[in-house]
Amino acid sequence: LTWTPPAWFSAGSGEACHKLREEIDSAPYLQTYQQHAQNYDVGVPYPNNLLRNVAIRATSAPYITVLDADMVPAAGLAKEAASMLAVTPGDQLVALVTPAFEVKAGTAIPTKKTDLLKLLDSGDAEPFYYRVCAKCQNTTDFPRWRGLLPGMADVYQVAWKDPWEPLYVTRREQMPLYDERFKQYGFNRISQVCELHIAGFQFLVMTDRFVVHPGFKTGAFHPSKEAEQLSNRLLFRKFKQELKQKYPGVHRRCY
């Protein structure tokens, strides 16, 4: 499969991201798919982590960012993250956390922190997953992030705590691959973040950059969500036991 990008496409361009999404959303085959299937409800187990690993193995880029496909990064995020990681000692394991937010449907996507802060104050934006699983993002420490005005600091460090599943940027060569046994809904991403914690990564929250999901997440899920989550929860318990063997002598745990 090959793709020749249009003239307007350039890496790191916010305008290009919006135009690319418009082209994807208008693709006839995707519109047909959206009319007949819900998320994770397509008749076959969706291999989230397999696809993530395919992307990681296929790129030669020195840095990897973990994002949902429908999220929009703040202006300058890629450049600033690359600059930070470039001056980080090579033996230091670092995940630069990109705080995630949601904005009300129809709201213009903010690209600067000052604009996002205004939306948070007005109630037109909120932390990602605030209505579905607030504890899955709370470790980011959103009150601290909001209290730091642009330019006050580059990053602040937080300790990983279950069930935090941050979005982040890190070095590709140091990043553990995703466990491909996790499919469908539940624990597919948190298992990999758990391994980052066990492996000794530092989680540094970027204070001026962020990513945004258009629309507020709600509790509406596909019918088999609960069964999938239970199955993957059992697999996650097994996964954590396996990490003890993979990282002998390490006292950190995913609890």
Side-chain angles (χ1 to χ4, degrees), residues 97-116:
V97 176
T98 55
F101 297 87
E102 306 169 355
V103 296
K104 185 181 297 184
T107 302
I109 302 295
T111 59
K112 298 180 180 179
K113 183 172 183 177
T114 51
D115 295 331
L116 176 58

Side-chain angles (χ1 to χ4, degrees), residues 133-168:
C133 184
K135 64 183 180 180
C136 296
Q137 296 294 324
N138 277 347
T139 301
T140 301
D141 196 347
F142 292 107
R144 181 176 182 182
W145 188 87
R146 291 182 65 172
L148 292 170
L149 297 178
M152 289 182 64
D154 293 327
V155 296
Y156 59 86
Q157 186 170 353
V158 295
W160 186 85
K161 181 180 179 181
D162 183 57
W164 191 37
E165 47 179 27
L167 305 172
Y168 63 88

Side-chain angles (χ1 to χ4, degrees), residues 11-51:
S13 165
E15 181 182 1
C17 289
H18 288 292
K19 287 187 175 181
L20 181 59
R21 179 170 180 178
E22 289 175 359
E23 290 208 354
I24 292 173
D25 287 345
S26 62
Y29 69 92
L30 283 180
Q31 291 179 349
T32 300
Y33 170 84
Q34 291 170 355
Q35 292 171 2
H36 294 87
Q38 292 182 326
N39 219 12
Y40 297 113
D41 191 18
V42 295
V44 294
Y46 190 76
N48 320 60
N49 286 354
L50 169 64
L51 295 175

Side-chain angles (χ1 to χ4, degrees), residues 145-233:
W145 188 87
R146 291 182 65 172
L148 292 170
L149 297 178
M152 289 182 64
D154 293 327
V155 296
Y156 59 86
Q157 186 170 353
V158 295
W160 186 85
K161 181 180 179 181
D162 183 57
W164 191 37
E165 47 179 27
L167 305 172
Y168 63 88
V169 185
T170 193
R171 295 189 181 100
R172 175 176 53 84
E173 62 183 15
Q174 295 175 329
M175 180 182 186
L177 291 174
Y178 290 83
D179 190 307
E180 296 174 9
R181 293 173 295 178
F182 289 94
K183 299 176 182 179
Q184 288 292 103
Y185 184 88
F187 298 92
N188 54 79
R189 191 164 60 200
I190 194 174
S191 55
Q192 195 259 4
V193 178
C194 162
E195 181 166 358
L196 293 182
H197 168 63
I198 298 296
F201 274 73
Q202 297 179 56
F203 294 93
L204 305 179
V205 181
M206 301 181 73
T207 59
D208 286 351
R209 310 302 172 187
F210 54 90
V211 296
V212 176
H213 177 275
F216 290 149
K217 289 276 190 177
T218 65
F221 289 96
H222 57 292
S224 57
K225 178 248 186 182
E226 294 298 331
E228 294 163 7
Q229 194 166 28
L230 174 59
S231 176
N232 281 338
R233 180 178 288 110

